[in-house]
């Protein structure tokens, strides 16, 4: 698989209880593709708090030791709001394949956030596949991305 990400590094993946089933499906998908990953939890459908999983995934991606991140919760908003508190993170909510492509091309997103209660399982896999393989376009988009960070 050709990717702009360094796929010799693991993909960081995490979810809350609402995203648990899709996380497990996506892990099977990554295993099927032979892609390394680290599962930051949650590990069951018991109710949990999404920041407890979004912060560790964001820290992992920020560290540079992971290729990119995948986060899931019910709407994707909780995990995206949390992850985007990290200066080095551009966490993008995706609900369709075209969005997954555009957040890579235009926003250089490094975490894909999937709303598990609002997308179909197969769509989640397709979005992750598109996210992995799509290059950032740079140029005018780089000017904009370079203005995002605070401080
Ligand atoms: C959990 O019920 C739900 O609030 C959470 O998964 C997420 O949608 C929050 O943004």
């Amino acid at each position: 698989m050709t990717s702009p990400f360094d796929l010799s590094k693991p993909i960081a993946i995490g979810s809350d209880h609402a995203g648990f089933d899709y996380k497990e499906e996506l892990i099977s998908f990554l295993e099927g593709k032979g892609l390394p990953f680290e599962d930051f939890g949650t590990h069951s459908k018991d109710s949990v708090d999404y920041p407890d999983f979004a912060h560790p995934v964001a820290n992992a991606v920020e560290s540079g030791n992971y290729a990119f991140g995948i986060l899931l919760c019910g709407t994707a908003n909780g995990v995206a709001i949390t992850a985007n508190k990290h200066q080095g993170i551009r966490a993008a909510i995706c609900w369709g394949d075209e969005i997954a492509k555009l957040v890579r091309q235009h926003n250089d997103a490094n975490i894909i956030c999937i709303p598990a209660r609002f997308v179909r399982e197969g769509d989640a896999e397709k979005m992750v596949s598109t996210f992995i393989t799509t290059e950032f376009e740079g140029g005018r988009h780089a000017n904009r991305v370079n203005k995002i960070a605070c401080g």
Side-chain angles (χ1 to χ4, degrees), residues 12-132:
I13 184 167
S15 76
D16 72 355
H17 53 288
F20 173 73
D21 283 341
Y22 276 28
K23 176 171 68 64
E24 299 305 296
E25 291 296 332
L26 285 173
I27 283 172
S28 299
F29 170 75
L30 296 176
E31 285 173 337
K33 297 273 181 208
L35 294 169
F37 65 90
E38 184 171 335
D39 181 1
F40 286 79
T42 187
H43 298 293
S44 80
K45 291 169 86 163
D46 294 344
S47 182
V48 291
D49 301 329
Y50 55 79
D52 294 338
F53 306 93
H55 281 307
V57 167
N59 281 328
V61 174
E62 257 191 328
S63 76
N65 296 323
Y66 291 77
F68 67 92
I70 303 171
L71 282 169
L72 306 101
C73 69
T75 66
N77 276 288
V79 290
I81 290 167
T82 305
N84 279 319
K85 293 290 181 191
H86 296 248
Q87 286 292 334
I89 295 302
R90 291 174 301 282
I93 300 174
C94 295
W95 59 94
D97 200 40
E98 189 66 15
I99 309 274
K101 189 174 174 184
L102 285 167
V103 302
R104 287 291 310 133
Q105 289 178 329
H106 290 192
N107 311 115
D108 199 17
N110 53 12
I111 297 182
I112 179 171
C113 300
I114 298 174
R117 289 178 175 157
F118 297 91
V119 297
R120 286 182 297 239
E121 186 182 297
D123 291 346
E125 292 179 7
K126 184 139 187 18
M127 287 190 284
V128 167
S129 189
T130 296
F131 189 90
I132 293 174

